[in-house]
Amino acid sequence: MKLFRLATVVLAALFVPVLASAGTLSPGVQAWYVSWQSGMAQLNADIIEAQLRQELDAADGDGTFGGNINGYSLDVGEPEGSGFIFGPALRYETDDRLWEFNLAIMWFGAYTTNIDTSFILNVTSISPLLNGSIPFKVSSELEIAHRDIDLRARRKITDAFSAFAGYKYQSYETSIGSNYNINYDVIQFNANLDFSFFAEVHMPYAGVGYSHPFGSAFSLAANLGLGVPIGGRAEKELSINGTDYSENFDIKMAWAAMGDITLVYVMGSAVELRLGYQYQRFTLRVENIDIDRDGQSDDSGDYVDVFQGVTFAALYRIGV
């Protein structure tokens, strides 16, 4: 959070001279119902799969599965989830409408993500009727707490177009406990898995906006932006059958893209309602992580986080 506090101080130092002038202060709430194709959750699945595979390799090698087993296959599915996050919002606009400053703190809510695991034992000779493959299915549900803090300053260029710059902080936190039980005839295998994961990202960004009024009450607003993360970290705690696989590692991102479109409705002169659609795409690379615990850091490749969904905000305008 040190980078976030620093960014807050810098932005406040830039904004105070403008905020000293007369304008409109608009407190309110903001919410986002999101579909999440999660690279972070996929990384979690990759970690769990690698460690389960080690346990299964050991069981296959030491005879736990019995002499009638000719190997196994393991597939941990790709996670997708959805959820709802919300929190307070605050906007300040100068009387000349040239400057606008926004703060949104979506600190509440969570996503639910399902990860389906398929495990197949290749059986050779328990009996003629059982030759072939024995499938086992395990479904794990992750509840992921996602927090998003967004500071943004906007400067109008023309009546329709504007430019903006801002700073975003995001964090993810999840934990899961699963008990993988395989009990079939003479085959017995058990893996008690406890997993927790925390990650955070700091990102400055900039972009352009467009707005167009429709009468006195309605308007349409759209924004496009690009961001470059300047820091991130992750902490993983994983235990399988009492064996600890915990470690810390760094998150690096190549770029992030974001866009939104919003229909704005002003009721009277004080209440503003906003309904829209928002899209965010983060491309990230994880460094200094040993996914398979072989003592060597792995190049895990790129993971992509895509957030998209319906947004809603309600603000109350107060002249200051």
Side-chain angles (χ1 to χ4, degrees):
M1 293 291 287
K2 290 182 180 179
L3 282 172
F4 177 74
R5 289 194 292 266
L6 177 61
T8 303
V9 172
V10 172
L11 289 172
L14 293 173
F15 297 167
V16 164
V18 179
L19 296 176
S21 61
T24 302
L25 187 67
S26 303
V29 294
Q30 182 170 317
W32 191 11
Y33 182 79
V34 188
S35 171
W36 187 15
Q37 296 171 290
S38 173
M40 299 303 295
Q42 183 61 55
L43 175 60
N44 293 346
D46 289 347
I47 292 170
I48 292 172
E49 179 175 358
Q51 312 313 332
L52 275 177
R53 196 174 293 278
Q54 279 200 347
E55 297 290 325
L56 291 167
D57 284 343
D60 193 26
D62 65 15
T64 298
F65 294 153
N68 300 312
I69 303 303
N70 184 24
Y72 70 90
S73 63
L74 173 69
D75 178 49
V76 177
E78 295 184 1
E80 291 189 7
S82 61
F84 184 78
I85 58 174
F86 63 96
L90 183 66
R91 185 184 68 201
Y92 179 82
E93 185 179 26
T94 58
D95 275 348
D96 58 14
R97 307 241 172 152
L98 291 179
W99 286 95
E100 179 184 295
F101 305 94
N102 291 274
L103 170 64
I105 305 175
M106 287 190 283
W107 205 255
F108 308 100
Y111 300 101
T112 299
T113 299
N114 288 307
I115 300 178
D116 295 323
T117 302
S118 172
F119 174 70
I120 298 175
L121 286 175
N122 299 318
V123 183
T124 56
S125 60
I126 291 180
S127 76
L129 297 177
L130 294 178
N131 285 342
S133 299
I134 304 174
F136 300 88
K137 299 287 186 180
V138 179
S139 182
S140 301
E141 184 177 273
L142 281 77
E143 186 172 277
I144 302 176
H146 175 209
R147 297 184 174 116
D148 187 304
I149 302 176
D150 197 323
L151 287 165
R152 179 180 297 188
R154 180 186 303 275
R155 175 64 159 84
K156 184 171 285 190
I157 302 172
T158 68
D159 288 340
F161 290 95
S162 61
F164 61 83
Y167 181 89
K168 182 181 286 289
Y169 168 84
Q170 287 190 341
S171 69
Y172 316 80
E173 188 170 4
T174 188
S175 62
I176 181 174
S178 291
N179 191 3
Y180 291 77
N181 286 304
I182 297 171
N183 192 344
Y184 187 87
D185 198 65
V186 298
I187 305 165
Q188 291 185 349
F189 174 77
N190 176 270
N192 293 305
L193 183 148
D194 292 301
F195 177 76
S196 64
F197 185 85
F198 172 81
E200 63 179 6
V201 174
H202 305 266
M203 183 185 71
Y205 64 88
V208 294
Y210 173 81
S211 63
H212 182 77
F214 295 95
S216 59
F218 288 92
S219 63
L220 188 68
N223 299 287
L224 287 174
L226 289 174
V228 180
I230 58 176
R233 66 182 182 90
E235 300 173 355
K236 176 200 71 169
E237 294 183 2
L238 174 63
S239 173
I240 301 178
N241 291 341
T243 301
D244 183 47
Y245 297 100
S246 302
E247 64 178 317
N248 299 333
F249 45 93
D250 300 324
I251 296 176
K252 305 294 182 183
M253 290 190 181
W255 57 278
M258 61 193 72
D260 62 78
I261 184 168
T262 304
L263 179 65
V264 182
Y265 173 58
V266 180
M267 299 174 57
S269 59
V271 178
E272 180 180 316
L273 302 178
R274 305 173 69 91
L275 180 66
Y277 170 84
Q278 186 170 352
Y279 177 92
Q280 293 182 1
R281 179 187 178 95
F282 297 85
T283 300
L284 60 95
R285 178 176 291 271
V286 176
E287 296 182 352
N288 301 324
I289 178 174
D290 183 6
I291 290 180
D292 54 11
R293 300 297 290 180
D294 61 357
Q296 302 292 326
S297 293
D298 296 308
D299 181 4
S300 64
D302 292 335
Y303 291 87
V304 176
D305 260 17
V306 175
F307 302 88
Q308 55 183 325
V310 177
T311 61
F312 172 79
L315 302 171
Y316 187 80
R317 299 177 174 182
I318 305 170
V320 293

